[in-house]
Amino acid sequence: MVVAKAAFLQLVALLPILLSGGIPLPNRIAQVVGALWLGLMGPVVGFAQEELRRSTLPGGRASLLGGAFTAVADDPAAAYYNPAGLAFVDDLEVSLSVTALNNSDVTYRKVIGDRDFNESSQSFFPLFSGASYRWGRLGFGYSYMTTNSRNIDQSNQWRDISTEETEANSWNRYYLESHDYLLAGPSLAFRLLDNLSIGWTGYYYQRTLKSMDHQLTHFNNGVVSSLDIKVSTSNTGLWNVWGLLLRFDTFRIGVSGWSAQKIADETTTNLDTVYFDSASSGPQSQSLEVDDEGRAEVNPATYRAGIALTPNKNFLLAVDVLYHQGKENDLGRADLYDTYNYSIGSEIKLGKVFLRSGAFTNYSMYPDLVANKASQPTKIDYIGGSLGFGVDTKTYEGSAGYIYQQGSGESQIIINSGQFQEVEANSRSWVLSARYKL
């Protein structure tokens, strides 16, 4: 297994040499051939968005409050943010929220000359569904949610890259990716005192990623190179969520913590390369398949603390602070560093109608890029906002809202190059939610 991994990584590192018949390519060709083999390198040597812990905000009300829900925790979404809140919910509640449409874009500036490289994703997924029931001092719940979802179907074409005989003239890429991170499990809460409760949620997580990358490069001297990579990854495990909630008439304080235990990790990678020189007798090809059962999903422990102020029944202000504990990675992947994130949310009620808004951060756990070093991971820090409205009656609540994240950072999208690229990114989601109090 170790030998296969080393052989595979060595093959990828030597691709520019293999495609030139054993002679290193000029710098521009190495950039063109290596640069856009780079987007596919994420699934091969790392994990998509493991460094961003707030790609989605589960729960209808919670998402519109910007994720500031640790001290609010008064509907089935408490199972995710602070399960202790389930000891105070109404006798029986059912909640459902969906991301009606999510669009995300990432742009790498000036990858080759003045040319940018863009990546876009569009998806629809069930954001959160759950039910809770309170029996005396005990609270019970079950929830299912999507905490990350990406669907990419993208084609890129670059023409007239160079007119020099030994350099690339055109580059074509077709990329497909499906990536989901799902959580499901039960919750239990107990009210210790009239205003104090503890709670626990046990989530089973499943992460699946499948991608296909086809790239074709034409050189001015008649050489044609082709690369195909297919990646299939599956990770399963358990999340334990513990929470504590203290409630008073006009304010609440909540804390919770997350820790993970893996069950199984498996990654299969297929790589095929074809090199054709019009002056030679025929194409040359190489193929390799790697089954990697030891490449673990990285799930850093997360701790939350929140406070919610309710001076009257028509106004709510909530603030959360999150701490993500850094974690060392294996097989040359970048370490994750200690990171803080923040949320603030408010709710105003006018009779049966309410308005919710929030702001939050989604900072990367990757380190800042440094000079004189190559192949560092892309670091993007996001800041987001949410806004929504709805109607709340004694038995039903419905809402609609919009969540936006804007990010910027730096990348080294060109393999084995110390060159930096500026990165701009954004994510836009429409969220619909319904809640029934039975």
Side-chain angles (χ1 to χ4, degrees):
M1 179 65 67
V2 174
V3 174
K5 291 179 192 174
F8 174 73
L9 295 176
Q10 184 178 24
L11 173 61
V12 172
L14 295 178
L15 278 173
I17 298 177
L18 293 173
L19 295 177
S20 64
I23 301 174
L25 299 173
N27 288 338
R28 179 175 290 274
I29 297 181
Q31 286 183 347
V32 172
V33 174
L36 302 199
W37 281 349
L38 195 72
L40 58 90
M41 291 303 293
V44 175
V45 298
F47 280 89
Q49 298 188 327
E50 67 181 4
E51 78 286 4
L52 295 170
R53 310 311 299 180
R54 311 187 80 191
S55 297
T56 64
L57 301 173
R61 188 184 186 198
S63 64
L64 296 183
L65 292 174
F69 207 66
T70 305
V72 180
D74 60 358
D75 69 19
Y80 177 84
Y81 294 91
N82 185 354
L86 296 176
F88 294 98
V89 298
D90 291 333
D91 290 347
L92 178 61
E93 290 192 17
V94 177
S95 178
L96 173 66
S97 58
V98 298
T99 296
L101 183 64
N102 172 264
N103 290 286
S104 63
D105 297 287
V106 181
T107 301
Y108 301 85
R109 298 296 185 190
K110 299 182 179 180
V111 175
I112 300 295
D114 291 331
R115 304 190 190 206
D116 299 337
F117 179 69
N118 302 289
E119 183 179 78
S120 299
S121 169
Q122 185 177 88
S123 56
F124 166 84
F125 53 91
L127 182 62
F128 177 89
S129 60
S132 61
Y133 176 71
R134 183 173 58 83
W135 183 53
R137 290 182 174 269
L138 288 175
F140 307 90
Y142 189 88
S143 53
Y144 170 91
M145 71 203 69
T146 303
T147 61
N148 200 350
S149 181
R150 284 161 49 96
N151 288 289
I152 300 174
D153 184 347
Q154 182 165 326
S155 179
N156 297 91
Q157 295 181 345
W158 283 2
R159 297 287 183 266
D160 301 321
I161 298 171
S162 172
T163 58
E164 296 186 23
E165 181 180 0
T166 58
E167 297 194 355
N169 177 266
S170 67
W171 173 83
N172 299 268
R173 183 200 192 207
Y174 181 57
Y175 183 68
L176 289 172
E177 178 186 313
S178 175
H179 176 211
D180 293 291
Y181 195 114
L182 307 177
L183 298 176
S187 303
L188 177 66
F190 179 69
R191 195 185 308 176
L192 299 172
L193 302 172
D194 289 343
N195 63 345
L196 178 66
S197 63
I198 59 173
W200 166 85
T201 296
Y203 280 129
Y204 171 82
Y205 73 78
Q206 180 178 23
R207 175 185 176 275
T208 57
L209 184 149
K210 293 184 178 181
S211 66
M212 184 280 291
D213 197 309
H214 170 74
Q215 300 186 34
L216 184 68
T217 306
H218 292 260
F219 295 88
N220 291 310
N221 60 4
V223 171
V224 178
S225 65
S226 172
L227 171 70
D228 289 279
I229 287 188
K230 296 180 180 179
V231 178
S232 178
T233 294
S234 176
N235 306 102
T236 57
L238 300 175
W239 276 107
N240 283 296
V241 188
W242 295 92
L244 182 70
L245 182 63
L246 182 62
R247 292 174 40 134
F248 296 97
D249 291 339
T250 58
F251 73 94
R252 307 171 188 176
I253 299 174
V255 295
S256 64
W258 285 63
S259 61
Q261 176 63 47
K262 76 171 185 177
I263 295 177
D265 301 298
E266 183 175 352
T267 298
T268 300
T269 303
N270 298 90
L271 183 146
D272 296 287
T273 64
V274 177
Y275 164 81
F276 177 77
D277 188 340
S278 59
S280 66
S281 57
Q284 305 172 33
S285 62
Q286 294 197 20
S287 299
L288 187 65
E289 178 174 320
V290 177
D291 292 320
D292 186 354
E293 298 178 356
R295 190 176 296 279
E297 168 74 356
V298 178
N299 289 306
T302 295
Y303 304 94
R304 299 171 178 266
I307 183 170
L309 304 177
T310 54
N312 58 63
K313 65 178 182 179
N314 295 319
F315 180 75
L316 165 71
L317 178 66
V319 177
D320 272 18
V321 178
L322 289 76
Y323 167 68
H324 311 284
Q325 189 174 39
K327 194 168 185 178
E328 293 184 356
N329 267 328
D330 59 358
L331 299 176
R333 292 154 57 192
D335 293 339
L336 301 182
Y337 282 63
D338 292 353
T339 303
Y340 287 91
N341 274 304
Y342 309 91
S343 291
I344 183 169
S346 66
E347 178 181 86
I348 300 173
K349 290 185 178 181
L350 298 172
K352 295 181 179 181
V353 178
F354 59 80
L355 177 68
R356 292 171 182 157
S357 61
F360 60 95
T361 63
N362 184 15
Y363 293 147
S364 172
M365 294 187 69
Y366 281 152
D368 292 333
L369 275 65
V370 297
N372 303 318
K373 190 175 180 181
S375 302
Q376 299 175 81
T378 298
K379 177 181 173 67
I380 305 175
D381 289 326
Y382 289 85
I383 296 177
S386 57
L387 181 65
F389 66 93
V391 176
D392 186 11
T393 68
K394 291 183 178 180
T395 59
Y396 169 80
E397 176 188 296
S399 65
Y402 181 71
I403 302 173
Y404 182 80
Q405 295 193 48
Q406 179 73 44
S408 62
E410 291 183 321
S411 176
Q412 287 184 324
I413 196 171
I414 300 176
I415 293 176
N416 295 326
S417 169
Q419 177 183 342
F420 288 6
Q421 293 82 38
E422 293 183 359
V423 183
E424 297 176 1
N426 64 75
S427 173
R428 308 168 303 281
S429 300
W430 289 97
V431 178
L432 303 176
S433 177
R435 175 184 169 198
Y436 298 90
K437 295 168 277 187
L438 306 177

